Amino acid sequence: MPGRRWTPLVQAAVDEVSAEQRAALEQANDDALAALEDEGVEIIEITDRDAWAERVAPTSAEFAQRFGPDGQRIVEILDAAGRP
């Protein structure tokens, strides 16, 4: 509920579980990347986000156009999340 505050005990539990979930997700991601690399997949890490954003901008625009309002909404959500 908006404006409702949790008790310190509930907040502590939420904080603890959230930290555990983040750690588990990071480990799962690391494990998945390692499995892909073991299968010969080359993982490319983006080092220049600005250059990457510039390169993918036409693709994002094409996606939004091709899939209409839903595609545009997806692009907007990705942009808001900070993807390049």
Side-chain angles (χ1 to χ4, degrees):
M1 284 183 194
R4 186 173 183 177
R5 293 196 168 267
W6 291 354
T7 65
L9 180 61
V10 171
Q11 186 62 55
V14 168
D15 293 345
E16 180 180 343
V17 170
S18 294
E20 290 172 1
Q21 248 341 88
R22 276 191 300 277
L25 288 171
E26 286 178 23
Q27 185 62 55
N29 188 57
D30 291 346
D31 292 346
L33 288 172
L36 289 169
E37 288 177 325
D38 288 347
E39 293 296 321
V41 175
E42 179 183 3
I43 306 297
I44 300 171
E45 293 191 35
I46 299 170
T47 56
D48 185 344
R49 291 184 65 84
D50 292 336
W52 177 256
E54 185 177 325
R55 294 290 303 268
V56 299
T59 303
S60 296
E62 179 183 329
F63 180 87
Q65 182 177 8
R66 180 175 179 191
F67 293 100
D70 291 337
Q72 182 60 41
R73 182 70 181 128
I74 290 169
V75 169
E76 290 169 0
I77 290 168
L78 292 171
D79 286 342
R83 70 117 179 131

